[in-house]
Amino acid sequence: MKALQGISISSGYARGFALVYQPPSLHHAPEYPIEKTAVADEISRMNFALQRTADEVRTLRERIAKEIGEQEAAIFDAHLLFINDEEFHAKLLGRVSKNLINCEQAVKLEILGYIKQLSSLKNGYMRERIMDFEDVGTKLLRNLRYDMPDHPLGTLAEQTVIVAKELLPSESVNMDRKNIAGIVTEHGGSTSHTAILARAMGIPCVVGIPELTSLTRDGELLLINGSKGNVTINPSDWQQHEFRRTEKIYRDSMRYLTLKESQACQLKGGTPVTLTANINCLEDVPLVKQHNLEGTGLFRTEIVFLGNTKTPGLAKQHQVYVDAAKQVAPHPMIIRTFDFSADKHPEFLDKKFLANGRRGVDWALSEKRGLTSQLHAILRAYNESPNIRVLLPMVRNSEQVRQVKTILAEQAEKEQLKIPPIGAMIETPLAVFSLRDMLPEISFSSIGCNDLAQYMLGIERELNALNLHDWILEPALLRTFETIFNLAAEHKHPVSVCGLAASDPLLSAILVGLGARAFSVDPASSSQVRYTLRHLGIRDAKKLAGLALAGEPKQTIIDAFEKHFPEVPLALEY
Ligand code: PEP
Ligand code: MG
């Protein structure tokens, strides 16, 4: 038995069997000797992978040339030269036939050999070449596993617990969700995109357990308490009994909260609070009605297309947006334009296009073609489904909003279409200071406290080893939220909160005390937030906010919070 403590990311109890996931990587390529009789088979496996990789790169090059430009596509010429190089082929095949090693090992040794030579030459160009070699090497390794399903987590046994160093959003989106009992990783922060996806899928998840992948073997029984961040490997009978007992209490408590979902979301005195949903894909849309939510406050469109190998065209995007919007009508459907980032980038966008480090609307304006076609699709969708709104991520200033509006206006004029209301995410410190200036340009805004906290606190959200409370309960950050709410109230400007803090019962109560009256939350957490707010009066919420603004210890705030419930359901316990 091993008891491990990590950071709680997505609540709930899970019992399942470990699958230690290793993504294809040069450093973790499988290594084994082969018999002389297996050489011919191994060589045909290598030839197949070389051919398939060359085809893949050629197709990618053609697409980039067509969609972005010849200059950008030329990046792949180096990959093609390398993958088609006869000397390289001969060296790989020689390693297999002479040293009697498997193909993966041959690829690893050959590519790492090139990289070692280049590493001694310290200049930017050489570093780029190293990235090229790594890229080609990883593609080759993937294509060597042609007997595997396209996505290694796409077909899983029942009750699987994924155990990984880290899990990228692009890996998470294609997982066989129905068979995943839980997720446990070594890395990943409380507001990382993997955390967001796990919460949205309602999968218990714990991150931040060092050495986890070396402590766990495939098939071992794991118990996860996602609310407390505990993971037990190979539990004793007594531990399993105890786990089943508390799990039942948790399940009953969640069932009780679900029964209360038909009640309006309002504070104890009757003040209404708007509760909408954050959604990440079309499958999430039915959850909006299921949880009695008033539309969608954040549709993360980049996640919808994360698993795509091809750029989604106008028709495909239009169909997704109309489908989603019609399902939540007459409530609003707020569509956020693409917010790609280093950890959230689909295969159709080569990493190099993100290497300039820009995010959200800033990146989109520099890559206008993608933004224009997305806005075009939203525009057409809005004219069929008028509950659509556009939300711009990572905005810094009003000029960026004006530029987007110009693109929308040009397209609208061409096709005689009406323009949807446009809003801004307040998730960069500059947006906080530009908000007053932006007000004449936007119809609404939404506070993205995941990114706002990251940039205000200087803590990497993907990596931070703090739980949500420990980094959001920072008095100066809370004052920043309060400033935004005050400004919005002064100008009767609708503002909502859509970061993970909104989905947390305690933090949502504090945010109400600071002035929030609208939240966009994970559907799976909405019953807890609704229940919490219905038990809190404005005065109670202000008191809680006062304690947090004064920097009181977390436990004092939790104690004050829990006082408001006649009986704290286990699903709300901290
Ligand atoms: C945020 O930053 O708070 C937010 C909601 O956007 P995302 O988590 O998608 O970056
Ligand atoms: Mg964000």
Side-chain angles (χ1 to χ4, degrees):
M1 187 283 289
K2 286 176 216 132
L4 308 168
Q5 180 65 44
I7 308 169
S8 135
I9 287 292
S10 174
S11 55
Y13 284 63
R15 179 184 182 282
F17 301 93
L19 170 79
V20 183
Y21 170 62
Q22 301 274 16
S25 133
L26 282 173
H27 296 279
H28 299 114
E31 296 181 14
Y32 51 89
I34 57 165
E35 299 289 336
K36 261 199 176 134
T37 49
V39 168
D41 281 350
E42 205 62 3
I43 284 188
S44 63
R45 200 159 75 90
M46 183 73 90
N47 283 329
F48 174 87
L50 284 165
Q51 186 58 49
R52 188 153 152 163
T53 306
D55 291 346
E56 207 177 283
V57 179
R58 202 173 308 106
T59 314
L60 184 64
R61 192 209 181 285
E62 282 163 15
R63 215 181 53 236
I64 300 292
K66 201 160 89 206
E67 290 171 9
I68 300 179
E70 188 52 39
Q71 199 182 345
E72 288 79 4
I75 292 166
F76 297 100
D77 289 340
H79 292 205
L80 276 173
L81 269 180
F82 181 47
I83 196 71
N84 288 325
D85 180 33
E86 284 179 11
E87 198 182 318
F88 174 56
H89 292 194
K91 283 188 176 158
L92 288 176
L93 299 178
R95 282 192 188 266
V96 170
S97 56
K98 291 195 197 103
N99 304 355
L100 297 180
I101 56 174
N102 63 320
C103 294
E104 285 86 349
Q105 203 176 161
V107 170
K108 170 181 166 172
L109 292 172
E110 205 50 42
I111 301 243
L112 291 184
Y114 285 118
I115 291 177
K116 197 166 167 208
Q117 281 172 27
L118 287 174
S119 307
S120 54
L121 310 167
K122 286 198 172 52
N123 65 43
Y125 175 76
M126 287 309 161
R127 267 196 300 277
E128 282 279 298
R129 294 285 69 76
I130 290 175
M131 273 173 70
D132 288 341
F133 283 129
E134 278 175 350
D135 225 358
V136 171
T138 315
K139 281 196 173 84
L140 259 175
L141 286 181
R142 194 164 24 81
N143 286 327
L144 277 166
R145 304 174 76 181
Y146 60 91
D147 53 330
M148 298 279 292
D150 269 0
H151 191 279
L153 299 174
T155 314
L156 299 170
E158 270 177 35
Q159 266 193 290
T160 297
V161 172
I162 296 175
V163 173
K165 280 194 187 299
E166 64 178 341
L167 211 53
L168 296 175
S170 50
E171 291 163 325
S172 318
V173 283
N174 290 321
M175 293 185 312
D176 180 8
R177 291 182 189 199
K178 66 180 184 313
N179 286 325
I180 299 177
I183 300 174
V184 200
T185 66
E186 290 183 11
H187 309 295
S190 49
T191 55
S192 63
H193 289 103
T194 301
I196 285 169
L197 287 170
R199 290 179 70 127
M201 295 183 224
I203 299 174
C205 175
V206 174
V207 302
I209 302 186
E211 312 290 328
L212 174 73
T213 52
S214 27
L215 293 171
T216 320
R217 300 274 162 273
D218 274 337
E220 280 184 319
L221 176 63
L222 260 63
L223 301 181
I224 302 174
N225 178 338
S227 317
K228 301 236 183 277
N230 313 136
V231 177
T232 314
I233 306 175
N234 285 329
S236 64
D237 288 348
W238 179 81
Q239 280 169 320
Q240 292 193 54
H241 168 78
E242 208 32 39
F243 183 85
R244 273 195 292 271
R245 192 183 64 79
T246 44
E247 183 193 16
K248 175 160 183 333
I249 303 175
Y250 178 84
R251 241 189 297 124
D252 290 347
S253 134
M254 279 307 286
R255 207 169 292 138
Y256 171 75
L257 296 181
T258 307
L259 283 176
K260 304 273 173 195
E261 282 192 314
S262 56
Q263 298 179 327
C265 186
Q266 57 185 37
L267 301 180
K268 203 156 89 187
T271 305
V273 176
T274 309
L275 206 55
T276 57
N278 289 346
I279 60 166
N280 304 308
C281 58
L282 272 178
E283 292 90 85
D284 289 347
V285 184
L287 299 177
V288 177
K289 287 223 163 111
Q290 197 177 309
H291 291 278
N292 189 26
L293 297 167
E294 299 166 71
T296 295
L298 172 68
F299 185 9
R300 292 184 170 97
T301 55
E302 69 282 355
I303 296 185
V304 180
F305 301 109
L306 217 48
N308 282 34
T309 48
K310 289 200 180 110
T311 311
L314 180 63
K316 174 74 199 160
Q317 287 197 54
H318 167 255
Q319 180 204 332
V320 168
Y321 305 148
V322 172
D323 267 13
K326 290 210 161 147
Q327 287 184 60
V328 304
H331 293 303
M333 156 64 68
I334 297 181
I335 299 179
R336 183 175 75 179
T337 56
F338 294 139
D339 183 15
F340 296 118
S341 57
D343 70 302
K344 256 195 313 181
H345 70 95
E347 252 184 70
F348 63 81
L349 270 185
D350 192 83
K351 257 194 199 145
K352 290 201 173 78
F353 298 116
L354 292 164
N356 61 15
R358 294 167 122 174
R359 286 277 307 268
V361 76
D362 183 36
W363 174 83
L365 285 167
S366 74
E367 291 283 333
K368 267 208 184 102
R369 205 183 297 224
L371 177 64
T372 307
S373 84
Q374 187 177 31
L375 291 175
H376 194 172
I378 297 176
L379 199 58
R380 285 193 182 172
Y382 171 65
N383 282 263
E384 275 173 61
S385 197
N387 57 332
I388 286 179
R389 313 275 176 271
V390 187
L391 179 61
L392 306 177
M394 292 287 167
V395 176
R396 288 201 296 258
N397 54 46
S398 49
E399 178 50 30
Q400 291 177 315
V401 182
R402 277 193 289 277
Q403 286 184 34
V404 172
K405 285 169 86 174
T406 306
I407 300 175
L408 270 171
E410 280 167 4
Q411 205 64 52
E413 198 184 339
K414 268 190 218 150
E415 297 187 24
Q416 297 293 299
L417 296 173
K418 282 201 226 115
I419 300 179
I422 192 159
M425 296 266 310
I426 309 300
E427 55 180 345
T428 66
L430 281 189
V432 178
F433 292 102
S434 310
L435 181 57
R436 188 181 290 276
D437 189 35
M438 277 197 278
L439 290 178
E441 304 289 348
I442 53 178
S443 308
F444 64 97
S445 50
S446 187
I447 304 178
C449 29
N450 305 333
D451 278 307
L452 191 53
Q454 153 165 266
Y455 294 117
M456 299 283 295
L457 270 64
I459 296 177
E460 271 268 7
R461 67 184 274 195
E462 293 300 323
L463 303 173
N464 90 64
L466 297 170
N467 78 40
L468 194 61
H469 296 143
D470 291 333
W471 77 314
I472 299 290
L473 291 177
E474 172 78 39
L477 179 65
L478 300 177
R479 265 198 296 281
T480 309
F481 297 148
E482 192 180 32
T483 307
I484 301 171
F485 297 133
N486 288 343
L487 181 67
E490 187 192 321
H491 293 267
K492 298 199 170 21
H493 172 77
V495 63
S496 171
V497 185
C498 65
L500 275 181
S503 302
D504 179 273
L506 171 64
L507 296 175
S508 65
I510 292 173
L511 285 163
V512 166
L514 295 171
R517 294 292 178 271
F519 295 112
S520 190
V521 300
D522 299 322
S525 314
S526 62
S527 63
Q528 300 171 32
V529 173
R530 188 188 301 269
Y531 179 86
T532 300
L533 299 183
R534 287 185 60 91
H535 282 82
L536 280 180
I538 292 187
R539 218 161 336 128
D540 308 328
K542 283 197 171 146
K543 240 190 230 163
L544 281 175
L547 292 175
L549 283 168
E552 290 292 337
K554 188 168 83 176
Q555 199 50 51
T556 309
I557 304 172
I558 292 175
D559 292 345
F561 170 71
E562 291 186 338
K563 251 190 14 225
H564 297 289
F565 305 99
E567 196 180 314
V568 183
L570 184 61
L572 285 189
E573 254 186 18
Y574 289 102

